[in-house]
């Protein structure tokens, strides 16, 4: 039984329903199924990349890049909207997270080759990509390096290059590059809180989040994200997350000005996790960018409030 299944077992009964707090637990059931039944693709160098495949299996593909620290389980958040709109949600997880093979020396620019291999294995021709939070840089680099495959890209509350913010906001990312053990210690403390008490962890996050985000962290969305966090370190520990953090704090290795496909950005001014400055930086430096900024929304509520618009914009699907 996976770490995620044990976590979900705390609040799901044997038949998959939570009689106390989760009368509609479809996303949690999907998350548990993703964790119990991992799917992988072997990429060109022999590594395995785990992925979720949810939504409409016969629908228009949308490739989703999860946030940090997360895993393929993140894809469960978009299963329902995928089914409603006829969209197949494919959510690959990055090296070392979940069931994906670690790649300690990887760079951001290695990701597009993994995406190509996953897409080829799943029979995807061209497709839009969608990166949330820490998945934003991966959406950007895939759009830049795979213009023959990526139709358009969406970034929601995504990280931007460190030049977009001041030194204080860069320190966490720089520490992973300069002092990996210190970064690992910080991630261990975070992981300890995540694993010790789900409700307490989500309540702490909710209290420090934008007002519009609080109910989401306390509800089903927060529980799915918590489960995704648990799964992210279930097989390979914290070292892949240290590498991921260092990648965010390193030069990205490509020019944002080279992006030719349409890029849609969604950001919240009230976001307490990714500052709006990062979105404004991408708006200025990606020549095809179209930005949507919401004054009262935060890190999760931007997705929640605009989910259908995001899917319609990126896939062209309408109900």
């Amino acid at each position: 039984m996976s770490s995620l299944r044990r976590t979900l077992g705390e609040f799901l009964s044997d038949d998959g329903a939570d009689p106390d707090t989760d009368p509609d637990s479809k996303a949690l059931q999907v998350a548990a199924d993703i964790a119990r039944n991992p799917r992988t693709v072997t990429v060109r160098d022999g590594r395995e990349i785990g992925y979720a495949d949810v939504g409409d299996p016969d629908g228009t593909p949308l490739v989703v890049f999860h946030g940090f620290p997360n895993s393929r389980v993140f894809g469960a958040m978009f299963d329902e909207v995928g089914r409603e709109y006829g969209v197949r949600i494919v959510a690959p997880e990055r090296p070392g997270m979940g069931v994906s093979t670690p790649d300690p020396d990887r760079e951001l620019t290695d990701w597009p080759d993994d995406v190509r291999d996953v897409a080829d294995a799943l029979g995807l021709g061209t497709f839009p990509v969608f990166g949330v939070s820490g998945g934003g840089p991966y959406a950007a680099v895939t759009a830049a390096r795979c213009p023959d495959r990526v139709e358009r890209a969406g970034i929601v509350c995504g990280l931007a290059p460190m030049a977009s913010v001041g030194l204080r906001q860069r320190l966490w990312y720089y520490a992973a590059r300069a002092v990996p053990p210190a970064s690992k210690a910080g991630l261990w403390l975070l992981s300890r809180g995540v694993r010790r008490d789900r409700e307490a962890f989500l309540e702490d996050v909710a209290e420090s989040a934008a007002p519009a985000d609080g109910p989401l962290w306390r509800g089903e969305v927060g529980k799915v994200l918590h489960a995704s966090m648990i799964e992210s370190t279930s097989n390979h520990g914290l070292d892949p997350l240290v590498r991921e953090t260092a990648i965010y704090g390193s030069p990205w290795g490509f020019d944002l000005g080279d992006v030719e496909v349409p890029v849609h950005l969604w950001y919240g001014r009230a976001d307490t996790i990714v500052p709006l400055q990062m979105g404004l930086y991408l708006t200025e430096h990606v020549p095809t960018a179209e930005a949507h900024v919401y004054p009262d929304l935060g890190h999760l509520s931007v997705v929640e409030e605009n989910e259908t618009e995001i899917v319609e914009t990126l896939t062209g699907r309408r109900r």
Side-chain angles (χ1 to χ4, degrees):
M1 183 179 292
S2 72
S3 300
L4 175 58
R5 184 56 187 160
R6 291 197 298 271
T7 300
L8 294 180
E10 296 174 4
F11 57 93
L12 292 179
S13 66
D14 290 341
D15 63 0
D18 180 354
D20 298 322
T21 59
D22 297 293
D24 181 11
S25 58
K26 177 64 175 176
L28 300 174
Q29 295 176 46
V30 172
D33 182 67
I34 292 170
R36 285 195 305 261
N37 303 290
R39 302 181 184 191
T40 63
V41 164
T42 302
V43 295
R44 63 193 67 188
D45 63 0
R47 289 177 296 107
E48 298 289 319
I49 293 291
Y51 69 96
D53 196 343
V54 297
D56 183 345
D58 299 316
T60 301
L62 174 60
V63 180
V64 175
F65 302 144
H66 62 74
F68 175 95
N70 269 277
S71 64
R72 69 196 184 283
V73 174
F74 184 85
M77 292 179 57
F78 304 100
D79 175 69
E80 182 177 355
V81 70
R83 293 184 185 278
E84 288 180 359
Y85 277 81
V87 173
R88 179 186 182 185
I89 304 293
V90 175
E93 60 193 0
R94 296 187 284 278
M97 300 179 194
V99 295
S100 290
T101 308
D103 183 1
D105 299 320
R106 71 185 178 96
E107 302 290 346
L108 179 63
T109 49
D110 295 327
W111 181 243
D113 284 341
D114 286 348
V115 175
R116 282 184 182 275
D117 290 349
V118 170
D120 289 345
L122 299 184
L124 307 184
T126 59
F127 48 86
V129 297
F130 171 38
V132 181
S133 190
Y138 293 89
V141 72
T142 306
R145 294 294 178 89
C146 301
D148 58 320
R149 302 295 292 274
V150 175
E151 299 168 332
R152 61 193 66 85
I155 296 174
V156 177
C157 301
L159 293 174
M162 292 297 104
S164 62
V165 293
L167 179 59
R168 183 176 180 181
Q169 293 169 301
R170 305 178 195 181
L171 291 179
W172 167 252
Y173 306 100
Y174 283 177
R177 294 173 55 190
V179 194
S183 177
K184 188 173 182 178
L187 288 166
W188 179 83
L189 290 173
L190 173 63
S191 177
R192 184 183 182 191
V194 169
R195 292 177 177 275
R196 175 182 289 178
D197 187 329
R198 184 198 68 206
E199 301 304 329
F201 169 76
L202 293 177
E203 182 61 32
D204 285 346
V205 177
E207 289 181 357
S208 63
D213 285 355
L216 297 173
W217 281 111
R218 296 182 180 98
E220 187 176 60
V221 170
K223 291 173 183 176
V224 171
L225 288 173
H226 176 267
S228 183
M229 293 177 189
I230 292 284
E231 182 67 8
S232 71
T233 58
S234 62
N235 292 293
H236 304 296
L238 295 172
D239 287 335
L241 296 185
V242 176
R243 183 61 197 152
E244 176 91 332
T245 308
I247 285 172
Y248 295 142
S250 302
W252 282 11
F254 73 101
D255 190 339
L256 289 170
D258 291 339
V259 178
E260 298 177 352
V261 303
V263 176
H264 299 269
L265 309 174
W266 288 269
Y267 283 81
R269 191 176 296 275
D271 192 339
T272 60
I273 297 176
V274 173
L276 177 60
Q277 294 98 300
M278 289 194 165
L280 298 179
Y281 183 94
L282 293 177
T283 303
E284 181 180 352
H285 288 82
V286 176
T288 60
E290 178 181 323
H292 312 262
V293 177
Y294 303 91
D296 300 321
L297 298 184
H299 204 64
L300 300 187
S301 48
V302 167
V303 179
E304 183 75 9
E305 295 293 327
N306 298 284
E307 184 179 62
T308 56
E309 177 191 331
I310 291 167
V311 170
E312 289 179 351
T313 299
L314 296 180
T315 68
R317 300 287 298 180
R318 301 289 189 273
R319 280 191 291 190

